Amino acid sequence: MPYILLFSLFIGCSGPIVIESDQTVTTVDHAAWDTLLQKHVDAEGNVDYKGFTKDRTALADYLKVLGQFPIADDADKNERLAYYINLYNAGTIQLILENYPLTSIKDISRPWGKNIIPIGDNMYSLGAIEHKILRKMNEPRIHFAINCASYSCPKLLNEAYTANKIDAQLEQTTKNFINDPKRNTIETDKVTLSKIFNWFKKDFTKNGSLLEYVDRYAKTTIDKNAKINYRNYDWSLNEIK
């Protein structure tokens, strides 16, 4: 039976302090990741990768704890969402730092295909976490929470996702992304959307049309017959200039 894992991991500490644990856990404290995000990510979701390199040990320690104490399959859904979203984002940052400096995540060979994330006894790729775990959880808003280190991606939230706040966090990140004119242009009779809506269309259309999904969050009311175009994707590194 899984136990609750409590740990403290702060910048400058020698490592995680595990109070009680087993192979899987039902809840994880993401305070360490929250500290790193607040320190190195601005309000626009841009990352100070150069500064982040100084905290690579703290990032590695956080990922090590997540890997050694994976969230249980029967844990609360919000706990699992927070665990895997934070794991994906932290793993992406680590991948960038391991190859920094660079101009795009696409400068890295197979960035989403390599097994680089340990979870328990297994190794996962970023792609596997996204497609085989997160997308299976029937929560399309995850697409606005996970970040691919690129300017056209949804902003990297500068706080950790936590189970007690995750519904509000996902709701806000979805609203922010859909109404961000740098990523989507919403007019009543036509919309130019991020390619995320094209790549993962089936995730957004399980209970209606794509326009209906977007209209639910858009500040501008969209006609049901509006024309849809898709914006070119900017894979430039989401780095603070």
Side-chain angles (χ1 to χ4, degrees), residues 29-167:
D29 182 349
H30 297 285
W33 178 230
D34 189 77
T35 297
L36 291 170
L37 289 168
Q38 290 186 39
K39 185 176 180 181
H40 298 296
V41 181
D42 68 15
E44 297 302 312
N46 299 316
V47 184
D48 176 15
Y49 289 106
K50 185 176 181 179
F52 222 130
T53 60
K54 299 175 183 178
D55 284 323
R56 288 182 63 176
T57 299
L59 176 61
D61 285 344
Y62 170 70
L63 284 165
K64 182 178 181 181
V65 169
L66 295 190
Q68 289 181 338
F69 303 96
I71 198 75
D73 291 338
D74 60 353
D76 179 80
K77 181 180 179 180
N78 286 348
E79 290 284 356
R80 289 182 285 120
L81 280 168
Y83 174 92
Y84 285 112
I85 290 171
N86 290 331
L87 177 63
Y88 183 98
N89 288 339
T92 298
I93 293 290
Q94 184 179 65
L95 177 64
I96 296 298
L97 295 181
E98 288 174 346
N99 293 273
Y100 190 79
L102 70 168
T103 59
S104 169
I105 191 171
K106 285 198 163 186
D107 293 341
I108 304 169
S109 174
R110 299 177 61 242
W112 300 286
K114 294 178 181 176
N115 292 329
I116 58 173
I117 308 293
I119 305 177
D121 295 329
N122 300 306
M123 295 294 292
Y124 289 76
S125 67
L126 292 169
I129 294 172
E130 178 180 7
H131 301 298
K132 298 184 181 300
I133 299 177
L134 281 168
R135 291 182 66 198
K136 301 291 187 182
M137 295 176 71
N138 195 31
E139 177 48 85
R141 293 177 298 175
I142 61 102
H143 292 295
F144 313 114
I146 57 175
N147 181 270
C148 62
S150 305
Y151 276 119
S152 284
C153 291
K155 297 175 183 178
L156 177 60
L157 192 65
N158 60 352
E159 66 179 33
Y161 287 88
T162 58
N164 64 326
K165 296 194 301 181
I166 196 163
D167 185 65

Side-chain angles (χ1 to χ4, degrees), residues 194-213:
S194 164
K195 284 189 177 178
I196 287 173
F197 289 107
N198 188 28
W199 294 331
F200 306 110
K201 185 175 180 179
K202 69 178 183 180
D203 292 2
F204 301 110
T205 56
K206 292 181 179 179
N207 299 304
S209 71
L210 179 58
L211 285 177
E212 286 173 332
Y213 187 90

